[in-house]
Amino acid sequence: MSRKRSHLPSDLTPYTGCPADEMLGLDPLAVGWLDKRSDFDTGSVSKDFLTRLGRFCHPSVTVNRIKAKRPCGFNCQTVESAVIDGETVTLGHAEIRVIGEEDIFAAPDLIYHYISVHGYRPPRPFVDAVLQGPQ
């Protein structure tokens, strides 16, 4: 199933939203930048994938942190905190980077919410990077 496109970067297109990436010479690909107008696949993901993805959302490893909380792109009244490895993590304040075999991916930490609440299924190269890349 898919939904219609928005102004946000499409999955697996170049992500240029972080000056630190440019300064370091990184060319990440966008994944999970969604709102209610976005076109995206839905479906289930493995529990192992969600567990590993959650570790990328921990504040100690996120990037491009902001004080204000980004709202859910689907107009949720609240975004529930995630419990990751027994620790409560507030989502919506940062971005994550996932290193794959050939690419680096940039996603909002809200990707965890989009997957677990809205059924977003990220593209296979991102899933593989989360499952097989460095934690």
Side-chain angles (χ1 to χ4, degrees), residues 3 9-12 30-34 38-45 49-50 53 74 106-108 110-124 126-127:
R3 300 184 186 187
S10 300
D11 282 350
L12 305 180
V31 174
W33 295 91
L34 306 175
S38 298
D39 182 21
F40 63 91
D41 288 334
T42 58
S44 62
V45 296
F49 169 78
L50 203 55
L53 176 65
F74 300 100
L110 282 170
I111 192 171
Y112 188 92
H113 168 80
Y114 295 149
I115 292 168
S116 59
V117 174
H118 299 290
Y120 167 60
R121 188 177 58 208
R124 188 82 226 164
F126 178 79
V127 172

Side-chain angles (χ1 to χ4, degrees), residues 58-135:
H58 192 277
S60 65
V61 295
T62 57
V63 299
N64 211 17
R65 292 195 62 77
I66 59 173
K67 286 186 180 185
K69 188 174 183 177
R70 286 184 183 97
C72 169
F74 300 100
N75 299 327
C76 290
Q77 294 289 45
T78 60
V79 173
E80 297 294 325
S81 296
V83 177
I84 298 166
D85 291 337
E87 188 174 340
T88 301
V89 175
T90 303
L91 303 173
H93 292 280
E95 297 177 8
I96 66 170
R97 296 296 179 272
V98 176
I99 300 170
E101 202 168 298
E102 296 182 22
D103 293 301
I104 296 173
F105 302 94
D109 64 354
L110 282 170
I111 192 171
Y112 188 92
H113 168 80
Y114 295 149
I115 292 168
S116 59
V117 174
H118 299 290
Y120 167 60
R121 188 177 58 208
R124 188 82 226 164
F126 178 79
V127 172
D128 291 344
V130 169
L131 291 172
Q132 298 165 9
Q135 293 284 293

